[in-house]
Amino acid sequence: MDRRGFVGSMAAAALTEKQSRAQAVRRSVAQSGPMAEVRLITLDPAHFHAALVQKEMYTGVSPQAAVYAPLGFDLTEHLVRVARFNQRPENPTTWALEIHTGADYFERMLKEKPGNVVVLSGRNREKIAQIQRSVECGFNVLADKPWILKPGDLPKVGQAIDMAAQKGLVAYDIMTERFDVTSLLQRELVNSPDLFGAILTGDRNEPAVFMESIHRLLKSVAGVPNLRPPWFFDIREEGEALADVGTHLVDLVQWTAFPGQAIDYRKEIQMLDGKHWPTTIDKDQWRRVTGQAEFPSSLTGYIKDGKLDYFCNNFVSYALRGVHVQMNVLWDFEGPPPTDSYFAKYRGAKSRVEVRQGAPEKFRPEVYVVPNTPALKAEVGEALRKKVGAVQDRFNGLGVEDRGNEFRFM
């Protein structure tokens, strides 16, 4: 089977899980009041993820949607993105938006209740307070990561989720890598003792889990250059990379290595090391990525010699139930093609399982299994063949290519 067919079959499996989650939202909405269909309310859409929620139409979701936000750049960009979805020649969407602006937009939304699902993606400093208030007032919430930026706000996350459960509502992360096809396959393989063995504990020098994610500040979304608002470069508002993109990586580690198990962060996580450093942006780069000529006064403390030090890069080392984990979460200004890159490695007693998304893979994620020694290759290869046969009901057409010292899924 060629790569296109492989990705298609994997995507179908992921879509099934997404549909299950969407059904859970619809069930909750139906239980929460007389409005039977899902009606979206987008609150202060200051990130393009808010528009991506409306990239497609969904069964059971009304085309009538509301937007509550202050009048300005962020709102304008959001409306343009949704309009492009409506105007595209192939499979256009049919969203009809009601726009509400003004300084009291949030309080008006809570009072007017034009829908039952609040979508949050953008400014992060006040996000957890907006989530809590929305749930208190009877709304379901789909909120993009990160929900919090400060350690002291961590209890509020649990409070919001518990409150939603008590009210028969849902409060979900809007973006999760759990549904990515390569993440699903990597998790399946890591939890296959015949080919992976038990996960190693590793140490600080050679961790059992290593992940690296590199995002680009200058990129295109749906074929259009994505201008970022100036506030995005204020880490007090946006957060650093670990809080934002790193949310995905941290979640994937516990979901993959300890599936279906609750983690007690107070007892089972040991922080070992961490650091941050800036990506330096000059005036020309600032103009290209924001469309503005000058750095705003709010970033004065981060400007040196006429350049902005954007502290968006993080390294972290920690132990999860004794399993050593390390992560690099990075933002480059721009990269080869306008795309991000990713690498994830899990080390087991028999082999390691990797997702690679770099230049050799043409920046498309691919899954590899690498036996620890040549003597283990035959055993790992046979276990892989059995595993491929066992998962055909979920990943129809999945195959494995023997590349000498490693196996590549295709």
Side-chain angles (χ1 to χ4, degrees):
M1 186 180 190
D2 65 15
R3 176 174 173 77
R4 182 177 299 176
F6 161 58
V7 172
S9 65
M10 295 285 280
L15 180 59
T16 300
E17 293 203 33
K18 283 188 175 181
Q19 289 172 333
S20 297
R21 190 167 187 173
Q23 289 168 358
V25 175
R26 288 196 290 270
R27 284 196 299 270
S28 177
V29 169
Q31 294 167 0
S32 63
M35 189 182 294
E37 63 183 352
V38 173
R39 296 194 67 171
L40 300 176
I41 309 170
T42 305
L43 179 64
D44 193 9
H47 192 283
F48 69 86
H49 285 170
L52 293 183
V53 173
Q54 293 175 271
K55 189 175 181 180
E56 309 289 342
M57 305 303 296
Y58 310 99
T59 302
V61 178
S62 172
Q64 304 292 325
V67 182
Y68 284 77
L71 184 61
F73 174 85
D74 294 334
L75 174 60
T76 302
E77 289 294 293
H78 175 77
L79 298 179
V80 167
R81 292 182 184 115
V82 176
R84 286 198 185 104
F85 297 151
N86 275 359
Q87 294 166 4
R88 66 191 176 207
E90 294 186 13
N91 192 28
T93 53
T94 57
W95 298 106
L97 303 183
E98 294 182 359
I99 316 302
H100 307 265
T101 67
D104 60 344
Y105 65 92
F106 184 41
E107 294 301 326
R108 286 180 59 197
M109 183 209 78
L110 297 176
K111 180 180 179 180
E112 295 171 358
K113 290 184 167 62
N116 42 33
V117 177
V118 175
V119 176
L120 276 161
S121 180
R123 300 172 184 268
N124 301 318
R125 180 159 43 185
E126 301 299 326
K127 186 178 289 179
I128 188 61
Q130 293 173 330
I131 292 171
Q132 288 183 311
R133 286 290 310 281
S134 297
V135 171
E136 285 174 0
C137 292
F139 295 96
N140 297 278
V141 174
L142 297 177
D144 194 9
K145 47 73 193 165
W147 285 24
I148 60 171
L149 298 181
K150 299 180 294 185
D153 284 340
L154 183 57
K156 297 178 182 179
V157 176
Q159 292 166 8
I161 294 172
D162 290 344
M163 187 193 314
Q166 293 166 6
K167 289 177 170 286
L169 304 169
V170 296
Y172 282 161
D173 189 331
I174 200 173
M175 300 287 289
T176 172
E177 294 297 315
R178 293 186 182 192
F179 297 122
D180 185 272
V181 292
T182 52
S183 297
L184 289 166
L185 182 56
Q186 187 171 48
R187 184 182 194 233
E188 183 75 36
L189 298 172
V190 167
N191 290 282
S192 300
D194 290 347
L195 65 92
F196 182 73
I199 192 168
L200 302 179
T201 56
D203 55 37
R204 293 191 188 206
N205 295 321
E206 192 173 8
V209 181
F210 176 76
M211 309 179 85
E212 182 172 83
S213 176
I214 305 176
H215 276 52
R216 322 294 179 185
L217 292 169
L218 187 65
K219 64 167 63 175
S220 296
V221 176
V224 179
N226 179 46
L227 291 179
R228 297 185 185 273
W231 67 259
F232 178 87
F233 297 89
D234 187 341
I235 58 175
R236 296 162 298 187
E237 191 72 56
E238 167 65 14
E240 299 187 23
L242 186 63
D244 186 4
V245 178
T247 299
H248 289 317
L249 308 191
V250 171
D251 176 63
L252 284 178
V253 172
Q254 53 211 42
W255 177 74
T256 300
F258 302 100
Q261 302 176 44
I263 302 296
D264 188 339
Y265 68 91
R266 293 160 296 192
K267 300 177 181 178
E268 298 181 307
I269 298 177
Q270 179 187 6
M271 296 302 302
L272 303 175
D273 193 12
K275 61 182 179 180
H276 74 167
W277 64 97
T279 292
T280 300
I281 301 172
D282 62 30
K283 281 284 189 70
D284 179 64
Q285 291 172 322
W286 177 259
R287 178 189 56 77
R288 292 168 62 200
V289 76
T290 67
Q292 299 192 8
E294 301 295 331
F295 297 121
S297 59
S298 59
L299 298 178
T300 299
Y302 299 101
I303 297 173
K304 293 182 180 179
D305 300 322
K307 298 179 180 179
L308 172 66
D309 280 341
Y310 178 36
F311 279 86
C312 56
N313 304 298
N314 295 112
F315 165 82
V316 65
S317 174
Y318 65 98
L320 174 62
R321 292 185 178 175
V323 174
H324 284 72
V325 181
Q326 288 184 5
M327 296 176 182
N328 280 325
V329 195
L330 314 173
W331 281 91
D332 285 347
F333 183 75
E334 58 186 328
T339 186
D340 304 322
S341 61
Y342 174 67
F343 177 76
K345 175 176 67 177
Y346 291 79
R347 296 172 54 233
K350 295 182 180 180
S351 66
R352 65 181 189 267
V353 180
E354 300 178 354
V355 174
R356 306 173 190 169
Q357 184 188 1
E361 296 77 38
K362 298 181 180 179
F363 294 95
R364 296 176 300 186
E366 296 184 348
V367 181
Y368 292 80
V369 173
V370 185
N372 289 342
T373 65
L376 283 168
K377 180 184 176 183
E379 179 183 347
V380 171
E382 179 60 26
L384 270 175
R385 283 185 281 274
K386 291 180 180 179
K387 171 57 67 174
V388 168
V391 299
Q392 286 297 317
D393 58 333
R394 283 181 289 155
F395 307 127
N396 184 36
L398 181 64
V400 176
E401 174 190 13
D402 186 340
R403 304 187 72 177
N405 63 342
E406 63 185 16
F407 299 92
R408 169 181 171 267
F409 280 82
M410 51 184 294

